[in-house]
Amino acid sequence: MQTLIKIFFTLLLIINSTKTYACDVCGCGSSNSSSFANVLGGNYVGFSYNYMYFQYIQNYSDSDFPLAKDHVNTVSISGQYQITDKVQINATVPYRFNNRYKASGDVSNSGMGDVSVYGLINLLHADSNHSLKLGAGLKMPTGDFDLQNSSLNKTSAAQLGTGSWDVLLPLQYNYNKEQWSVNVSAMYFLKGKNDDDFKYGNQTQVNVNTTYVFPVVNNFSLAPIVGLSYDYFLASERFDIVDNRTKGYMTNANIGVQMETKKLILGINTQLPIAQNLIENEVTFNQGIGVYTYWKF
C-alpha cells in the first residue's frame, strides 16, 4: 500500500509542476470548471486546482508561432451538505490568476472569481443503483470585470468574473453496478448582462465518465476514470449587438485516476482535445489538467 501511495503522489507532483497555459477568448474561462468528483453524495469540503491551455492563432499566423498563449488558473474551495436523503446544497468559492503571454507585452491579474451556490434534489429512491438529480442556483458577480481591459487584449482572459448574475441549471445522473460506475453531469449557464451592458453567451457543459473501482486494502481503493466532456458557447453581445464570432464548442477526452479512503478523496485528471471550433478556429485548445481533494464528514 505504501508503494501505491508513493506512486499516486509522484503523479500528483508531476502534474502540478507542469507548465501550462490557457486562453479565455470565447468566455470559456469565465465559467466554472468541472472535476470528476462532482457527483459525490453526502457531506464534504474540498479543494481543486484547474487550468486549461489555449493558443490564439489568427488565420494568417503560423500555428507553430501563436500570437498569444493565455492561461487561466482557478483554485477553488467547494462544499456539499446533504440536507435530507434527497436534497443537497453545493457551493464553490474560486480564486483566479490569469496570464497572457505575447510579443507585444504580457497581461496578468488575480483575485476572487465568481462564487456559485446551487441546490439539487434526487428524483429517485435513495436505495436505488440509480440517482437522478435536478437543481438550480446562482453564480454571483464577486469577480471583477473590466471591459476596457478585455477590449484592449481581445480576450476575456484578463477577467476575474463575468460581472453578471448568472442562473445555474445543473443535472446529475449516476449509476452504480458493483465496482462499475457511470456518471453524467450537465450544467446550463444562463448568463445575465453586467453593468457595462455586456453579456457572455449562455453555455452548456456536459461530462460523461465511467469508473471502475479497484479495492486495494480495507477502506482504500483506486479508480481509473475515462470519459468525454463537451462545452458549447453561444455568442456574446453588448447593447444587444451579437458578436457571432464568439460562439463555439469543444469536445475533449477525460482521463484520470482517483484514490479514496473512508474520509478522503484525491484525484487527478487531464482533458485532451477531440474536436473544437472556437472564434472561427482562431483559438485552439491544447490540454486541461485538474487536481482535487475532498474530505467527507
Side-chain angles (χ1 to χ4, degrees), residues 118-120 133-137 167-172 185-188:
Y118 61 90
L120 289 164
K133 301 175 182 179
L134 297 177
V167 175
L168 308 180
L169 299 174
L171 178 149
Q172 295 179 1
S185 62
M187 181 80 78
Y188 187 74

Side-chain angles (χ1 to χ4, degrees), residues 166-272:
D166 303 335
V167 175
L168 308 180
L169 299 174
L171 178 149
Q172 295 179 1
Y173 170 76
N174 184 59
Y175 172 70
N176 292 296
K177 179 66 174 179
E178 296 176 348
Q179 291 161 262
W180 283 103
S181 177
V182 177
N183 303 316
V184 179
S185 62
M187 181 80 78
Y188 187 74
F189 298 83
L190 185 61
K191 300 181 181 180
K193 289 184 179 181
N194 59 30
D195 292 340
D196 294 293
D197 208 57
F198 184 92
K199 178 183 180 298
Y200 282 102
N202 295 344
Q203 178 184 350
T204 302
Q205 186 178 83
V206 181
N207 288 276
V208 181
N209 300 299
T210 183
T211 308
Y212 187 85
V213 178
F214 291 94
V216 180
V217 294
N218 189 31
N219 293 324
F220 176 79
S221 63
L222 285 175
I225 305 170
V226 295
L228 295 172
S229 66
Y230 175 76
D231 284 86
Y232 180 73
F233 313 93
L234 294 178
S236 300
E237 59 184 79
R238 190 178 186 218
F239 300 127
D240 296 324
I241 300 174
V242 177
D243 183 0
N244 286 315
R245 295 182 69 253
T246 58
K247 66 182 179 181
Y249 74 91
M250 57 183 179
T251 304
N252 305 315
N254 298 331
I255 303 171
V257 62
Q258 184 167 289
M259 181 188 79
E260 184 170 356
T261 68
K262 187 177 181 179
K263 291 290 186 180
L264 185 67
I265 291 177
L266 293 170
I268 54 177
N269 61 67
T270 185
Q271 289 184 313
L272 302 173

Side-chain angles (χ1 to χ4, degrees), residues 8 10 35 80 86 88 94 138 156 169 195 221 248 256 268 271:
F8 181 83
T10 299
S35 72
Q80 176 175 290
K86 288 184 172 292
Q88 68 188 57
L138 286 174
S156 57
L169 299 174
D195 292 340
S221 63
I268 54 177
Q271 289 184 313

Side-chain angles (χ1 to χ4, degrees), residues 30-251:
S30 295
S31 63
N32 296 328
S33 299
S34 295
S35 72
F36 288 125
N38 60 0
V39 288
L40 286 175
N43 304 325
Y44 68 81
V45 292
F47 168 87
S48 64
Y49 173 51
N50 294 279
Y51 60 94
M52 300 168 69
Y53 172 36
F54 287 75
Q55 292 181 332
Y56 178 45
I57 304 170
Q58 288 187 335
N59 293 330
Y60 57 81
S61 302
D62 187 338
S63 60
D64 293 329
F65 300 95
L67 297 181
K69 293 182 178 181
D70 299 354
H71 71 87
V72 176
N73 296 282
T74 304
V75 178
S76 300
I77 297 174
S78 59
Q80 176 175 290
Y81 184 72
Q82 200 79 34
I83 300 174
T84 69
D85 289 342
K86 288 184 172 292
V87 180
Q88 68 188 57
I89 187 168
N90 297 69
T92 301
V93 180
Y95 184 90
R96 296 169 57 116
F97 44 104
N98 306 323
N99 294 279
R100 177 173 230 217
Y101 299 98
K102 57 182 181 178
S104 59
D106 299 338
V107 179
S108 64
N109 68 350
S110 61
M112 179 178 286
D114 289 342
V115 174
S116 61
V117 178
Y118 61 90
L120 289 164
I121 182 169
N122 186 7
L123 303 181
L124 303 179
H125 195 278
D127 295 331
S128 171
N129 288 341
H130 302 263
S131 69
L132 177 62
K133 301 175 182 179
L134 297 177
L138 286 174
K139 186 173 71 64
M140 296 168 273
T142 52
D144 290 339
F145 176 86
D146 185 340
L147 180 65
Q148 182 179 10
N149 209 356
S150 181
S151 300
L152 289 174
N153 295 288
K154 308 301 182 185
T155 173
S156 57
Q159 305 303 338
L160 299 175
T162 62
S164 60
W165 290 87
D166 303 335
V167 175
L168 308 180
L169 299 174
L171 178 149
Q172 295 179 1
Y173 170 76
N174 184 59
Y175 172 70
N176 292 296
K177 179 66 174 179
E178 296 176 348
Q179 291 161 262
W180 283 103
S181 177
V182 177
N183 303 316
V184 179
S185 62
M187 181 80 78
Y188 187 74
F189 298 83
L190 185 61
K191 300 181 181 180
K193 289 184 179 181
N194 59 30
D195 292 340
D196 294 293
D197 208 57
F198 184 92
K199 178 183 180 298
Y200 282 102
N202 295 344
Q203 178 184 350
T204 302
Q205 186 178 83
V206 181
N207 288 276
V208 181
N209 300 299
T210 183
T211 308
Y212 187 85
V213 178
F214 291 94
V216 180
V217 294
N218 189 31
N219 293 324
F220 176 79
S221 63
L222 285 175
I225 305 170
V226 295
L228 295 172
S229 66
Y230 175 76
D231 284 86
Y232 180 73
F233 313 93
L234 294 178
S236 300
E237 59 184 79
R238 190 178 186 218
F239 300 127
D240 296 324
I241 300 174
V242 177
D243 183 0
N244 286 315
R245 295 182 69 253
T246 58
K247 66 182 179 181
Y249 74 91
M250 57 183 179
T251 304

